[in-house]
């Protein structure tokens, strides 16, 4: 099986991008990050890409007259890079349904909450405000519903009474840096598929909340 061509979309720091680049370089992922696209200029994630000699491209939505024309430019770029997988890693922009449909089954997103809890912004603050004892991150296939596509995996963190938004964000990020490379490796090994709105791992249906990271065995084999 040849290496998959991965394009990562970012808007900021790119710490998840870094985890994925590192996992490609170490061989954990049978794939290659062939481009990094950001909708914001000068962000740290673009610098990270350049350090690894990966084309780092800014597509500023302000330069386009409409959401559709921006999404068209983005789609053309992804097709130009011949992307097998599109990884949204802190990409903070809503994509139009046409765009999402064009790449359905090939596009993953990570979101800092245990979906379906807290789609949208300020997830850590909302978990604290609600007195949640458990919080976490989810990876899902992207569909036209915002943060609503079929879930692949969730990882949990405990919320302690002295947690702040910052400490909680850091705890969640540490889990994200583990689960995102893992899920990308599954996709590149063709073990993960989206059929309709159902996720399959090794041809077995994954339950609605996704695989639980906590239930993985020592070989990281999911118990479904
Ligand atoms: C991550 O925590 C990711 O879950 C979140 O943005 C952060 C990006 O960090 N994504 C969203 O909120 C998407 N709705 P990074 O740029 O350091 O990878």
């Amino acid at each position: 099986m040849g290496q998959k061509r991965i394009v990562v979309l970012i808007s900021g720091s790119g710490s998840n991008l870094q985890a994925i680049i590192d996992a490609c370089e170490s061989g954990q992922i049978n794939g290659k990050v062939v481009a990094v696209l950001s909708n914001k200029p000068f962000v740290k994630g673009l610098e990270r890409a350049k350090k690894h000699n990966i084309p780092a491209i800014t597509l500023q939505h302000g330069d386009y007259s409409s959401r559709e024309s921006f999404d068209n430019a983005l789609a053309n770029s992804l097709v130009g890079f011949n992307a097998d997988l599109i990884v949204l890693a802190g990409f903070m922009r809503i994509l139009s349904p046409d765009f999402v449909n064009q790449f359905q089954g090939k596009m993953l997103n990570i979101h800092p909450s245990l979906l379906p809890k807290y789609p949208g912004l300020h997830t850590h603050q909302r978990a604290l405000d609600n007195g949640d004892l458990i919080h976490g991150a989810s990876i899902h296939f992207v569909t036209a519903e915002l943060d609503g596509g079929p879930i692949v995996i969730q990882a949990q963190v405990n919320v302690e009474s002295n947690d702040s938004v910052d400490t909680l964000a850091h705890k969640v990020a540490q889990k994200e840096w583990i689960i995102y490379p893992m899920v990308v490796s599954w996709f590149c090994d063709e073990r993960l598929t989206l059929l309709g709105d159902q996720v399959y791992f090794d041809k077995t249906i994954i339950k609605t909340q996704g695989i639980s990271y906590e239930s993985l065995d020592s070989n990281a084999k999911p118990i479904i």
Side-chain angles (χ1 to χ4, degrees):
M1 197 185 311
Q3 282 201 327
K4 298 283 189 257
R5 297 173 62 81
I6 304 164
V7 176
V8 183
L9 307 191
I10 60 164
S11 302
S13 139
S15 67
N16 280 286
L17 162 70
Q18 187 70 59
I20 290 166
I21 293 172
D22 292 346
C24 289
E25 291 187 352
S26 76
Q28 183 196 351
I29 294 174
N30 183 23
K32 187 176 176 208
V33 179
V34 294
V36 172
L37 305 183
S38 172
N39 66 326
K40 296 232 169 84
F42 313 121
V43 293
K44 187 168 174 193
L46 290 168
E47 295 310 314
R48 293 180 193 268
K50 284 182 207 155
K51 271 201 189 127
H52 291 263
N53 297 316
I54 298 167
I57 296 151
T58 306
L59 279 180
Q60 271 183 275
H61 46 262
D63 293 344
Y64 296 85
S65 57
S66 65
R67 183 173 296 280
E68 283 65 34
S69 61
F70 172 82
D71 284 4
N72 271 339
L74 191 56
N76 287 340
S77 185
L78 294 173
V79 170
F81 281 110
N82 206 5
D84 298 305
L85 173 64
I86 298 137
V87 171
L88 309 191
F91 185 67
M92 304 303 279
R93 193 178 155 80
I94 294 173
L95 296 162
S96 58
D98 281 352
F99 178 91
V100 171
N101 291 336
Q102 184 177 348
F103 298 103
Q104 191 142 321
K106 294 171 67 170
M107 187 155 50
L108 294 167
N109 182 42
I110 193 157
H111 184 75
S113 78
L114 297 173
L115 290 168
K117 269 191 162 183
Y118 315 134
L121 299 175
H122 310 301
T123 57
H124 310 304
Q125 186 65 60
R126 286 152 77 195
L128 288 173
D129 290 348
N130 281 333
D132 291 356
L133 298 176
I134 293 177
H135 182 48
S138 309
I139 295 172
H140 63 94
F141 278 100
V142 178
T143 60
E145 189 189 341
L146 177 66
D147 298 329
I151 299 171
V152 176
I153 194 169
Q154 299 198 314
Q156 301 184 352
V157 301
N158 292 323
V159 184
E160 310 295 342
S161 54
N162 60 352
D163 264 323
S164 63
V165 166
D166 284 351
T167 61
L168 203 48
H170 185 65
K171 282 201 267 189
V172 170
Q174 283 178 310
K175 289 282 167 85
E176 293 187 340
W177 302 332
I178 298 168
I179 61 174
Y180 221 173
M182 191 168 73
V183 167
V184 170
S185 80
W186 291 342
F187 186 94
C188 291
D189 290 340
E190 298 180 1
R191 305 181 76 183
L192 201 62
T193 346
L194 181 72
L195 281 179
D197 56 5
Q198 196 69 68
V199 182
Y200 290 77
F201 181 90
D202 284 348
K203 303 197 166 62
T204 305
I205 289 182
I206 290 179
K207 57 189 179 183
T208 325
Q209 320 87 284
I211 293 164
S212 154
Y213 172 65
E214 289 69 33
S215 77
L216 296 180
D217 70 15
S218 54
N219 298 317
K221 170 104 181 70
I223 300 154
I224 299 168

